[in-house]
mmCIF file of all heavy atoms in Angstrom:
data_model
loop_
_atom_site.group_PDB
_atom_site.id
_atom_site.type_symbol
_atom_site.label_atom_id
_atom_site.label_comp_id
_atom_site.label_asym_id
_atom_site.label_seq_id
_atom_site.Cartn_x
_atom_site.Cartn_y
_atom_site.Cartn_z
ATOM 1 N N GLY A 29 0.844 -1.197 0.000
ATOM 2 C CA GLY A 29 0.000 0.000 0.000
ATOM 3 C C GLY A 29 0.875 1.242 0.000
ATOM 4 O O GLY A 29 2.024 1.203 -0.448
ATOM 5 N N ASP A 30 0.355 2.317 0.552
ATOM 6 C CA ASP A 30 1.071 3.597 0.562
ATOM 7 C C ASP A 30 1.967 3.777 1.786
ATOM 8 O O ASP A 30 2.654 4.783 1.891
ATOM 9 C CB ASP A 30 0.065 4.753 0.500
ATOM 10 C CG ASP A 30 -0.697 4.766 -0.810
ATOM 11 O OD1 ASP A 30 -0.128 4.332 -1.835
ATOM 12 O OD2 ASP A 30 -1.869 5.199 -0.802
ATOM 13 N N THR A 31 1.931 2.831 2.715
ATOM 14 C CA THR A 31 2.736 2.954 3.933
ATOM 15 C C THR A 31 3.743 1.811 3.993
ATOM 16 O O THR A 31 3.633 0.822 3.254
ATOM 17 C CB THR A 31 1.832 2.888 5.182
ATOM 18 O OG1 THR A 31 1.302 1.554 5.292
ATOM 19 C CG2 THR A 31 0.691 3.889 5.108
ATOM 20 N N PRO A 32 4.718 1.890 4.879
ATOM 21 C CA PRO A 32 5.716 0.812 5.005
ATOM 22 C C PRO A 32 5.172 -0.458 5.669
ATOM 23 O O PRO A 32 5.891 -1.437 5.796
ATOM 24 C CB PRO A 32 6.823 1.432 5.847
ATOM 25 C CG PRO A 32 6.268 2.646 6.465
ATOM 26 C CD PRO A 32 5.053 3.060 5.678
ATOM 27 N N HIS A 33 3.904 -0.475 6.058
ATOM 28 C CA HIS A 33 3.297 -1.627 6.723
ATOM 29 C C HIS A 33 3.523 -2.924 5.940
ATOM 30 O O HIS A 33 3.812 -3.979 6.506
ATOM 31 C CB HIS A 33 1.801 -1.362 6.921
ATOM 32 C CG HIS A 33 1.097 -2.424 7.681
ATOM 33 N ND1 HIS A 33 0.275 -3.349 7.090
ATOM 34 C CD2 HIS A 33 1.088 -2.708 9.006
ATOM 35 C CE1 HIS A 33 -0.212 -4.160 8.011
ATOM 36 N NE2 HIS A 33 0.261 -3.791 9.175
ATOM 37 N N PHE A 34 3.392 -2.872 4.621
ATOM 38 C CA PHE A 34 3.596 -4.034 3.751
ATOM 39 C C PHE A 34 4.947 -4.684 4.014
ATOM 40 O O PHE A 34 5.055 -5.903 4.130
ATOM 41 C CB PHE A 34 3.502 -3.609 2.281
ATOM 42 C CG PHE A 34 4.062 -4.610 1.304
ATOM 43 C CD1 PHE A 34 3.288 -5.681 0.870
ATOM 44 C CD2 PHE A 34 5.351 -4.482 0.821
ATOM 45 C CE1 PHE A 34 3.805 -6.609 -0.036
ATOM 46 C CE2 PHE A 34 5.871 -5.400 -0.085
ATOM 47 C CZ PHE A 34 5.099 -6.465 -0.513
ATOM 48 N N HIS A 35 5.987 -3.868 4.087
ATOM 49 C CA HIS A 35 7.344 -4.396 4.257
ATOM 50 C C HIS A 35 7.507 -5.106 5.599
ATOM 51 O O HIS A 35 8.129 -6.167 5.675
ATOM 52 C CB HIS A 35 8.371 -3.277 4.109
ATOM 53 C CG HIS A 35 8.339 -2.650 2.754
ATOM 54 N ND1 HIS A 35 8.797 -3.296 1.627
ATOM 55 C CD2 HIS A 35 7.867 -1.449 2.342
ATOM 56 C CE1 HIS A 35 8.627 -2.529 0.575
ATOM 57 N NE2 HIS A 35 8.052 -1.397 0.973
ATOM 58 N N TYR A 36 6.926 -4.540 6.640
ATOM 59 C CA TYR A 36 7.023 -5.156 7.965
ATOM 60 C C TYR A 36 6.284 -6.489 8.007
ATOM 61 O O TYR A 36 6.809 -7.501 8.476
ATOM 62 C CB TYR A 36 6.473 -4.230 9.055
ATOM 63 C CG TYR A 36 7.200 -2.921 9.145
ATOM 64 C CD1 TYR A 36 6.508 -1.719 9.058
ATOM 65 C CD2 TYR A 36 8.578 -2.871 9.313
ATOM 66 C CE1 TYR A 36 7.170 -0.507 9.133
ATOM 67 C CE2 TYR A 36 9.249 -1.672 9.386
ATOM 68 C CZ TYR A 36 8.541 -0.495 9.296
ATOM 69 O OH TYR A 36 9.194 0.701 9.367
ATOM 70 N N VAL A 37 5.054 -6.495 7.521
ATOM 71 C CA VAL A 37 4.244 -7.712 7.579
ATOM 72 C C VAL A 37 4.831 -8.804 6.691
ATOM 73 O O VAL A 37 5.000 -9.941 7.123
ATOM 74 C CB VAL A 37 2.771 -7.431 7.210
ATOM 75 C CG1 VAL A 37 1.981 -8.729 7.116
ATOM 76 C CG2 VAL A 37 2.136 -6.500 8.233
ATOM 77 N N SER A 38 5.168 -8.466 5.444
ATOM 78 C CA SER A 38 5.686 -9.498 4.543
ATOM 79 C C SER A 38 7.005 -10.062 5.054
ATOM 80 O O SER A 38 7.246 -11.272 4.975
ATOM 81 C CB SER A 38 5.829 -8.969 3.113
ATOM 82 O OG SER A 38 6.719 -7.892 3.046
ATOM 83 N N SER A 39 7.851 -9.215 5.605
ATOM 84 C CA SER A 39 9.126 -9.674 6.157
ATOM 85 C C SER A 39 8.922 -10.592 7.361
ATOM 86 O O SER A 39 9.532 -11.663 7.463
ATOM 87 C CB SER A 39 9.979 -8.469 6.556
ATOM 88 O OG SER A 39 11.179 -8.883 7.142
ATOM 89 N N GLU A 40 8.047 -10.191 8.266
ATOM 90 C CA GLU A 40 7.841 -10.974 9.492
ATOM 91 C C GLU A 40 7.121 -12.297 9.233
ATOM 92 O O GLU A 40 7.444 -13.310 9.851
ATOM 93 C CB GLU A 40 7.119 -10.147 10.542
ATOM 94 C CG GLU A 40 7.951 -9.004 11.072
ATOM 95 C CD GLU A 40 9.316 -9.428 11.598
ATOM 96 O OE1 GLU A 40 9.409 -10.396 12.369
ATOM 97 O OE2 GLU A 40 10.309 -8.770 11.227
ATOM 98 N N VAL A 41 6.136 -12.310 8.345
ATOM 99 C CA VAL A 41 5.456 -13.572 8.053
ATOM 100 C C VAL A 41 6.437 -14.534 7.377
ATOM 101 O O VAL A 41 6.446 -15.734 7.664
ATOM 102 C CB VAL A 41 4.169 -13.384 7.229
ATOM 103 C CG1 VAL A 41 4.431 -12.955 5.799
ATOM 104 C CG2 VAL A 41 3.343 -14.661 7.217
ATOM 105 N N THR A 42 7.293 -14.013 6.517
ATOM 106 C CA THR A 42 8.292 -14.850 5.853
ATOM 107 C C THR A 42 9.288 -15.412 6.860
ATOM 108 O O THR A 42 9.557 -16.617 6.868
ATOM 109 C CB THR A 42 9.018 -14.043 4.756
ATOM 110 O OG1 THR A 42 8.052 -13.604 3.795
ATOM 111 C CG2 THR A 42 10.082 -14.873 4.072
ATOM 112 N N LYS A 43 9.830 -14.547 7.709
ATOM 113 C CA LYS A 43 10.776 -15.008 8.731
ATOM 114 C C LYS A 43 10.117 -15.984 9.704
ATOM 115 O O LYS A 43 10.721 -16.980 10.107
ATOM 116 C CB LYS A 43 11.370 -13.826 9.502
ATOM 117 C CG LYS A 43 12.398 -13.053 8.718
ATOM 118 C CD LYS A 43 13.171 -12.087 9.594
ATOM 119 C CE LYS A 43 12.353 -10.863 9.871
ATOM 120 N NZ LYS A 43 13.109 -9.810 10.591
ATOM 121 N N GLY A 44 8.876 -15.676 10.076
ATOM 122 C CA GLY A 44 8.168 -16.537 11.028
ATOM 123 C C GLY A 44 7.930 -17.933 10.489
ATOM 124 O O GLY A 44 8.175 -18.929 11.178
ATOM 125 N N ILE A 45 7.467 -18.022 9.261
ATOM 126 C CA ILE A 45 7.233 -19.344 8.656
ATOM 127 C C ILE A 45 8.554 -20.082 8.491
ATOM 128 O O ILE A 45 8.638 -21.281 8.766
ATOM 129 C CB ILE A 45 6.488 -19.210 7.311
ATOM 130 C CG1 ILE A 45 5.064 -18.709 7.547
ATOM 131 C CG2 ILE A 45 6.461 -20.548 6.561
ATOM 132 C CD1 ILE A 45 4.334 -18.290 6.276
ATOM 133 N N ALA A 46 9.595 -19.374 8.061
ATOM 134 C CA ALA A 46 10.910 -20.012 7.917
ATOM 135 C C ALA A 46 11.396 -20.557 9.259
ATOM 136 O O ALA A 46 11.923 -21.676 9.321
ATOM 137 C CB ALA A 46 11.916 -19.019 7.341
ATOM 138 N N GLN A 47 11.209 -19.795 10.333
ATOM 139 C CA GLN A 47 11.654 -20.244 11.651
ATOM 140 C C GLN A 47 10.882 -21.474 12.112
ATOM 141 O O GLN A 47 11.468 -22.436 12.621
ATOM 142 C CB GLN A 47 11.513 -19.123 12.684
ATOM 143 C CG GLN A 47 12.163 -19.447 14.007
ATOM 144 C CD GLN A 47 13.664 -19.637 13.868
ATOM 145 O OE1 GLN A 47 14.346 -18.762 13.350
ATOM 146 N NE2 GLN A 47 14.178 -20.768 14.302
ATOM 147 N N VAL A 48 9.567 -21.459 11.933
ATOM 148 C CA VAL A 48 8.767 -22.624 12.306
ATOM 149 C C VAL A 48 9.225 -23.837 11.505
ATOM 150 O O VAL A 48 9.385 -24.935 12.044
ATOM 151 C CB VAL A 48 7.258 -22.361 12.091
ATOM 152 C CG1 VAL A 48 6.442 -23.627 12.301
ATOM 153 C CG2 VAL A 48 6.768 -21.255 13.025
ATOM 154 N N SER A 49 9.469 -23.645 10.224
ATOM 155 C CA SER A 49 9.917 -24.739 9.366
ATOM 156 C C SER A 49 11.244 -25.312 9.845
ATOM 157 O O SER A 49 11.395 -26.535 9.965
ATOM 158 C CB SER A 49 10.044 -24.241 7.920
ATOM 159 O OG SER A 49 10.531 -25.263 7.081
ATOM 160 N N LEU A 50 12.206 -24.451 10.123
ATOM 161 C CA LEU A 50 13.526 -24.919 10.556
ATOM 162 C C LEU A 50 13.494 -25.580 11.927
ATOM 163 O O LEU A 50 14.304 -26.459 12.208
ATOM 164 C CB LEU A 50 14.516 -23.752 10.556
ATOM 165 C CG LEU A 50 14.863 -23.205 9.176
ATOM 166 C CD1 LEU A 50 15.690 -21.931 9.304
ATOM 167 C CD2 LEU A 50 15.586 -24.242 8.344
ATOM 168 N N ASP A 51 12.561 -25.163 12.773
ATOM 169 C CA ASP A 51 12.454 -25.727 14.119
ATOM 170 C C ASP A 51 11.627 -27.005 14.173
ATOM 171 O O ASP A 51 11.526 -27.622 15.228
ATOM 172 C CB ASP A 51 11.827 -24.704 15.078
ATOM 173 C CG ASP A 51 12.754 -23.531 15.368
ATOM 174 O OD1 ASP A 51 13.969 -23.636 15.085
ATOM 175 O OD2 ASP A 51 12.256 -22.498 15.864
ATOM 176 N N SER A 52 11.014 -27.391 13.060
ATOM 177 C CA SER A 52 10.122 -28.548 13.087
ATOM 178 C C SER A 52 10.731 -29.746 12.368
ATOM 179 O O SER A 52 11.726 -29.619 11.668
ATOM 180 C CB SER A 52 8.774 -28.198 12.460
ATOM 181 O OG SER A 52 8.899 -28.154 11.055
ATOM 182 N N ASP A 53 10.101 -30.874 12.559
ATOM 183 C CA ASP A 53 10.521 -32.105 11.879
ATOM 184 C C ASP A 53 9.607 -32.448 10.713
ATOM 185 O O ASP A 53 9.697 -33.533 10.163
ATOM 186 C CB ASP A 53 10.525 -33.283 12.868
ATOM 187 C CG ASP A 53 11.680 -33.186 13.849
ATOM 188 O OD1 ASP A 53 12.730 -32.633 13.474
ATOM 189 O OD2 ASP A 53 11.528 -33.645 14.985
ATOM 190 N N ILE A 54 8.713 -31.528 10.379
ATOM 191 C CA ILE A 54 7.804 -31.748 9.257
ATOM 192 C C ILE A 54 7.893 -30.548 8.315
ATOM 193 O O ILE A 54 8.322 -29.466 8.719
ATOM 194 C CB ILE A 54 6.340 -31.949 9.719
ATOM 195 C CG1 ILE A 54 5.801 -30.679 10.393
ATOM 196 C CG2 ILE A 54 6.218 -33.175 10.628
ATOM 197 C CD1 ILE A 54 4.309 -30.695 10.642
ATOM 198 N N PRO A 55 7.482 -30.713 7.074
ATOM 199 C CA PRO A 55 7.477 -29.579 6.161
ATOM 200 C C PRO A 55 6.461 -28.515 6.583
ATOM 201 O O PRO A 55 5.322 -28.829 6.902
ATOM 202 C CB PRO A 55 7.056 -30.197 4.815
ATOM 203 C CG PRO A 55 7.341 -31.657 4.951
ATOM 204 C CD PRO A 55 7.146 -31.983 6.395
ATOM 205 N N VAL A 56 6.912 -27.278 6.606
ATOM 206 C CA VAL A 56 6.056 -26.122 6.827
ATOM 207 C C VAL A 56 6.265 -25.257 5.588
ATOM 208 O O VAL A 56 7.348 -24.725 5.375
ATOM 209 C CB VAL A 56 6.415 -25.359 8.116
ATOM 210 C CG1 VAL A 56 5.522 -24.140 8.290
ATOM 211 C CG2 VAL A 56 6.318 -26.278 9.327
ATOM 212 N N VAL A 57 5.233 -25.159 4.763
ATOM 213 C CA VAL A 57 5.393 -24.632 3.414
ATOM 214 C C VAL A 57 4.843 -23.212 3.289
ATOM 215 O O VAL A 57 3.747 -22.907 3.758
ATOM 216 C CB VAL A 57 4.710 -25.566 2.391
ATOM 217 C CG1 VAL A 57 4.864 -25.035 0.983
ATOM 218 C CG2 VAL A 57 5.285 -26.973 2.497
ATOM 219 N N TYR A 58 5.606 -22.390 2.609
ATOM 220 C CA TYR A 58 5.320 -20.975 2.385
ATOM 221 C C TYR A 58 4.490 -20.799 1.119
ATOM 222 O O TYR A 58 4.958 -21.046 0.014
ATOM 223 C CB TYR A 58 6.655 -20.237 2.247
ATOM 224 C CG TYR A 58 6.571 -18.749 2.084
ATOM 225 C CD1 TYR A 58 6.521 -17.923 3.189
ATOM 226 C CD2 TYR A 58 6.597 -18.171 0.823
ATOM 227 C CE1 TYR A 58 6.479 -16.537 3.047
ATOM 228 C CE2 TYR A 58 6.562 -16.794 0.669
ATOM 229 C CZ TYR A 58 6.509 -15.987 1.783
ATOM 230 O OH TYR A 58 6.474 -14.631 1.634
ATOM 231 N N GLY A 59 3.245 -20.377 1.286
ATOM 232 C CA GLY A 59 2.368 -20.108 0.153
ATOM 233 C C GLY A 59 1.784 -18.712 0.253
ATOM 234 O O GLY A 59 0.595 -18.504 0.046
#
C-alpha cells in the first residue's frame, strides 16, 4: 500500500514461517 506496513508484515510472516519450518521435523510450506 502507501505505507511501510507491507514491508514489515511481509518480512515478518516470511521469517516466522521459515523459523517454524527450521524448528520442526515436518514440512512447513510458504504459500
Side-chain angles (χ1 to χ4, degrees):
D30 295 330
T31 68
H33 184 256
F34 164 83
H35 298 288
Y36 300 125
V37 173
S38 61
S39 177
E40 292 306 312
V41 70
T42 300
K43 285 192 282 187
I45 292 169
Q47 189 63 54
V48 172
S49 177
L50 292 172
D51 290 344
S52 76
D53 287 330
I54 64 169
V56 179
V57 180
Y58 183 87

